[in-house]
Amino acid sequence: MKKIGINEPCPCGSGKKYKKCCGKVTDLTAFRERILDQEVDQLIDNIYAWFTLQWSEKIPFLLSDFLGESIDKIAWFDDPSKNWLSESEENDMALLVDCLLYDCKLPDGETVLNKYFQKERRGFRSSVVEVFSQWINSYVSVYELVDVTLSEDMVIVKDIFTDDKYKVSVKDFEIEAGIIGDIMVTRLLSKGAIYFISGFVRFPNTSKEYLFDKIERIKQEEMSNGSWQNFLKPFGYEVYLTAIAALKETVITLDDEIKKEILDEFAFTSEKQKEVAIGIFDNLGEEFPSEDVIGALLLWHKYCEIYSPRIQKVEVMVATIEYVVRLGLGEYITKSDIARKYSVSPSSISSRYRDFKEIMDVAIADFSENS
């Protein structure tokens, strides 16, 4: 990995020399952490660029071999009439490809990630080698959110199988939609003493026992005497598939009578506000768990209380709320993706997203103080 010269332009784009900007030494430990953080970010980009270039055409075949009979759990995978994937199916595919990169052993016994490591390791500093070694041994598990420290952009999560706790950076994903007790199915990757996540599926705490029991039964079938870590490394895809299935099992279809009861409970003050709420039902109700749909309605209700918005285009509000929900669930999605779906402009989503984010920040801060 190329090191940055002290007199070279700073990679942050400020136009200053590196030594006068991000490379300025104020505290040696902080400086080392900052350098490692930059190197890890670049490493992630390089890995996925290399993986896409070298392996993209082989992914369907590798996944088929890797998943074995479990591939039958993915209805759309081998459907000859399916020439495109929905947004939720694309997210499911991304989670499985993540397992393919980190966990799938090729015929020579190496993982795809380890092949990249062996090819490039000469250019890594020792601290990066240490980080990469953790990535190679990382695995998918189920984590409970046990503490939120928004001032430090950190959360503490606990593995529900091993009880191990980890400090996780939330700079790269939206934690605003999460609350203490939430469950995340994800892979933790090291950045030194801090971890970050590689995609996730989120559940309310009520799903904790369900997921534990389901995954424990799979462990008994596949590796009854092994440790949880030894099971989760080769069978992380089973954890994801269980989570994906659980997510779909909790999706509800709301009939008109139930919608009316819920709308009456929220007591929206204008017809336009009600139209947005109905838009949330219609666009999220058949794809997301009931908890997320109700959460989206709560967010919209709070927004109406604070801002009393003049609504010119219902679709803009619904689009913004769907964007917030998808980010909260860890989906990789852009404002442009959502804007195309609703035939609105990305900038209209951006301007309102800031307001929704502020509401969620305040709500979580209040929740943390009262916990």
Side-chain angles (χ1 to χ4, degrees):
M1 186 172 296
K2 184 178 181 293
K3 295 181 180 179
I4 305 167
I6 60 172
N7 289 312
E8 292 182 16
C10 186
C12 75
S14 66
K16 299 178 182 179
K17 289 184 178 180
Y18 183 62
K19 66 182 180 183
K20 297 289 187 180
C21 192
C22 295
K24 186 176 181 180
V25 181
T26 54
D27 178 272
L28 188 56
T29 300
F31 173 71
R32 286 172 175 164
E33 289 176 353
R34 192 186 309 138
I35 292 298
L36 179 61
D37 196 61
Q38 291 172 354
E39 289 180 323
V40 168
D41 287 344
Q42 184 61 56
L43 181 59
I44 286 286
D45 290 342
N46 292 346
I47 288 170
Y48 280 98
W50 173 82
F51 182 59
T52 301
L53 181 65
Q54 298 290 328
W55 298 86
S56 59
E57 294 183 0
K58 303 174 185 177
I59 286 175
F61 307 103
L62 288 173
L63 266 181
S64 181
D65 291 341
F66 180 46
L67 299 179
E69 293 181 0
S70 294
I71 204 165
D72 294 336
K73 299 176 183 178
I74 314 172
W76 46 263
F77 187 84
D78 199 28
D79 182 354
S81 65
K82 193 83 170 175
N83 55 15
W84 60 277
L85 299 181
S86 69
E87 290 173 353
S88 63
E89 289 168 347
E90 285 182 352
N91 191 49
D92 297 348
M93 174 64 89
L95 296 174
L96 295 173
V97 170
D98 174 275
C99 291
L100 191 62
L101 173 61
Y102 289 93
D103 305 329
C104 174
K105 287 193 174 181
L106 301 169
D108 60 6
E110 299 279 2
T111 62
V112 176
L113 186 66
N114 201 42
K115 283 187 173 296
Y116 178 86
F117 178 61
Q118 297 302 330
K119 175 177 175 291
E120 301 290 341
R121 67 174 298 167
R122 284 189 177 182
F124 298 158
R125 294 188 305 113
S126 58
S127 57
V128 177
V129 170
E130 185 177 340
V131 164
F132 210 117
S133 298
Q134 187 277 327
W135 293 3
I136 289 173
N137 295 310
S138 67
Y139 51 83
V140 175
S141 192
V142 183
Y143 298 91
E144 182 178 4
L145 185 62
V146 296
D147 195 16
V148 177
T149 311
L150 289 177
S151 60
E152 299 178 8
D153 291 323
M154 296 288 173
V155 297
I156 306 298
V157 299
K158 182 178 74 172
D159 190 317
I160 70 169
F161 303 116
T162 67
D163 288 332
D164 293 329
K165 292 183 179 180
Y166 303 89
K167 183 180 281 191
V168 180
S169 169
V170 297
K171 291 179 181 178
D172 299 325
F173 73 100
E174 297 294 332
I175 195 62
E176 289 83 4
I179 60 173
I180 292 173
D182 271 4
I183 301 298
M184 292 192 297
V185 180
T186 188
R187 179 188 306 274
L188 297 184
L189 298 175
S190 167
K191 276 190 180 181
I194 307 299
Y195 289 79
F196 66 102
I197 64 173
S198 178
F200 67 99
V201 184
R202 183 175 64 83
F203 296 88
N205 189 265
T206 51
S207 300
K208 177 180 174 180
E209 186 175 341
Y210 173 87
L211 288 170
F212 188 99
D213 291 344
K214 283 273 189 180
I215 295 167
E216 186 176 44
R217 281 199 289 272
I218 296 171
K219 180 179 181 294
Q220 289 299 317
E221 294 172 3
E222 301 289 350
M223 192 183 292
S224 59
N225 296 322
S227 68
W228 274 107
Q229 289 93 334
N230 288 340
F231 163 74
L232 292 167
K233 179 62 178 174
F235 292 102
Y237 66 88
E238 288 285 7
V239 178
Y240 271 145
L241 289 174
T242 301
I244 291 167
L247 198 61
K248 289 173 172 52
E249 285 176 14
T250 58
V251 171
I252 58 171
T253 301
L254 300 170
D255 60 31
D256 291 339
E257 185 175 343
I258 295 174
K259 288 180 185 179
K260 185 177 184 305
E261 289 178 6
I262 295 174
L263 288 174
D264 289 343
E265 283 290 324
F266 280 103
F268 290 107
T269 59
S270 75
E271 288 303 313
K272 284 288 187 181
Q273 290 180 9
K274 290 180 183 178
E275 285 182 37
V276 173
I278 292 170
I280 293 170
F281 278 129
D282 292 344
N283 288 279
L284 279 67
E286 294 186 358
E287 188 174 353
F288 292 93
S290 56
E291 291 87 354
D292 290 321
V293 178
I294 299 302
L297 288 167
L298 284 167
L299 177 61
W300 172 236
H301 187 259
K302 191 66 176 177
Y303 181 90
C304 292
E305 283 186 342
I306 294 172
Y307 293 102
S308 299
R310 294 178 62 187
I311 304 164
Q312 295 180 331
K313 194 169 185 179
V314 169
E315 291 81 4
V316 169
M317 293 301 185
V318 180
T320 306
I321 292 167
E322 180 169 340
Y323 179 64
V324 171
V325 170
R326 290 190 181 278
L327 285 182
L329 292 172
E331 291 191 26
Y332 178 76
I333 194 162
T334 67
K335 296 182 186 73
S336 296
D337 293 331
I338 295 291
R340 280 193 295 272
K341 174 179 176 180
Y342 288 92
S343 300
V344 300
S345 69
S347 61
S348 65
I349 295 175
S350 295
S351 61
R352 287 156 184 82
Y353 173 70
R354 288 190 291 270
D355 295 333
F356 283 109
K357 183 177 184 298
E358 184 177 340
I359 293 170
M360 298 184 80
D361 284 346
V362 171
I364 289 180
D366 290 345
F367 184 89
S368 298
E369 287 179 7
N370 295 325
S371 297

